[in-house]
Amino acid sequence: MTNTLLIGTTNSHKIIEIKDLLPDSLFPIKTLKDYPEIAPPEETGATFSENARLKAFYYSRMTGSVVVAEDSGLEIDALDRAPGIFSSRFNNSSSYPEKFRVIYEQLKQRDTRIKTARFVCALTVADGNRIIFETQHTVEGEIAQKPKGSNGFGYDPIFFYPPFNRTLAELPAEDKAEISHRGKALRALRLFLSETQQHI
């Protein structure tokens, strides 16, 4: 079995976060940039975990590699946990400033004081049709009064983390990695890989 890990995403920001927390010293790492001919699968799962598995199985079968795939997004309680699994496709895949505008408008229409929200990350490692490792993690926070910060990506500017009194977009990358949903999932994976390095 190959000991190369393929990161199953085309999102350059996610690739950077994943490679920062999964050093090549554990396993050589490739990304989907090494396989430009492979089209992404349709994400038909009803949960983050189902989509993570779907992507891990698909890219592993297509490449013959052990694949790390994740599905993540923002759940806003006042919006019935939307955008959820549709986070990247929310509002017809518009720009993030436009997504923010729509979210704030929807919250205004709900006339609610509920601010709670969370980021969710489900992560799956697969070899063909076999799941090697799975985990899911969250980070709890609130929707900020307005977008703030220029670090991070995606919904980070509107996700306020009360313990740091900052949005995720206001945090240095290393501080975000310590508390973020993806950071938690990747540290769990890194521990698993370090313990089973010779066995996958």
Side-chain angles (χ1 to χ4, degrees):
M1 185 185 302
T2 179
N3 65 349
T4 297
L5 285 176
L6 173 63
I7 299 173
T9 182
T10 57
N11 185 311
S12 59
H13 297 288
K14 290 183 179 182
I15 289 172
I16 290 171
E17 286 193 353
I18 292 170
K19 293 182 77 171
D20 281 347
L21 287 168
L22 293 181
D24 283 348
S25 57
L26 286 176
F27 289 92
I29 290 176
K30 289 187 175 182
T31 75
L32 289 179
K33 292 181 179 180
D34 296 303
Y35 300 92
E37 71 281 3
I38 298 178
E42 184 178 357
E43 296 182 24
T44 57
T47 65
F48 292 109
S49 292
E50 288 179 6
N51 280 329
R53 290 174 195 163
L54 181 155
K55 288 184 279 189
F57 289 147
Y58 172 81
Y59 287 120
S60 186
R61 290 194 299 266
M62 293 293 288
T63 65
S65 299
V66 175
V67 172
V68 179
E70 62 90 47
D71 196 55
S72 53
L74 176 66
E75 295 182 338
I76 302 172
D77 290 328
L79 299 182
D80 304 319
R81 296 197 171 186
I85 61 171
F86 303 105
S87 292
S88 65
R89 293 164 280 172
F90 178 67
N91 198 42
N92 297 318
S93 299
S94 61
S95 69
Y96 277 95
E98 180 63 15
K99 294 181 198 290
F100 302 162
R101 186 194 66 77
V102 172
I103 285 172
Y104 283 117
E105 182 61 31
Q106 290 181 352
L107 288 171
K108 183 178 179 181
Q109 291 174 0
R110 294 284 178 108
D111 191 26
T112 178
R113 295 184 179 182
I114 298 173
K115 299 179 180 179
T116 52
R118 70 199 51 79
F119 274 121
V120 182
C121 176
L123 184 148
T124 299
V125 181
D127 180 30
N129 291 318
R130 180 170 71 95
I131 294 175
I132 295 174
F133 176 81
E134 279 191 303
T135 192
Q136 180 167 308
H137 292 269
T138 64
V139 57
E140 300 287 335
E142 302 174 353
I143 298 302
Q145 291 185 351
K146 62 181 180 179
K148 292 184 68 176
S150 57
N151 297 331
F153 62 97
Y155 293 95
D156 286 354
I158 67 169
F159 189 85
F160 182 79
Y161 186 63
F164 287 177
N165 199 34
R166 297 284 190 277
T167 68
L168 292 193
E170 294 179 285
L171 298 178
E174 58 271 20
D175 289 347
K176 177 188 171 183
E178 282 297 314
I179 56 92
S180 77
H181 53 312
R182 191 171 298 107
K184 293 174 184 177
L186 289 169
R187 282 194 296 277
L189 173 58
R190 186 173 63 190
L191 177 62
F192 170 79
L193 292 175
S194 66
E195 293 175 344
T196 60
Q197 187 170 356
Q198 305 302 320
H199 305 290
I200 72 168

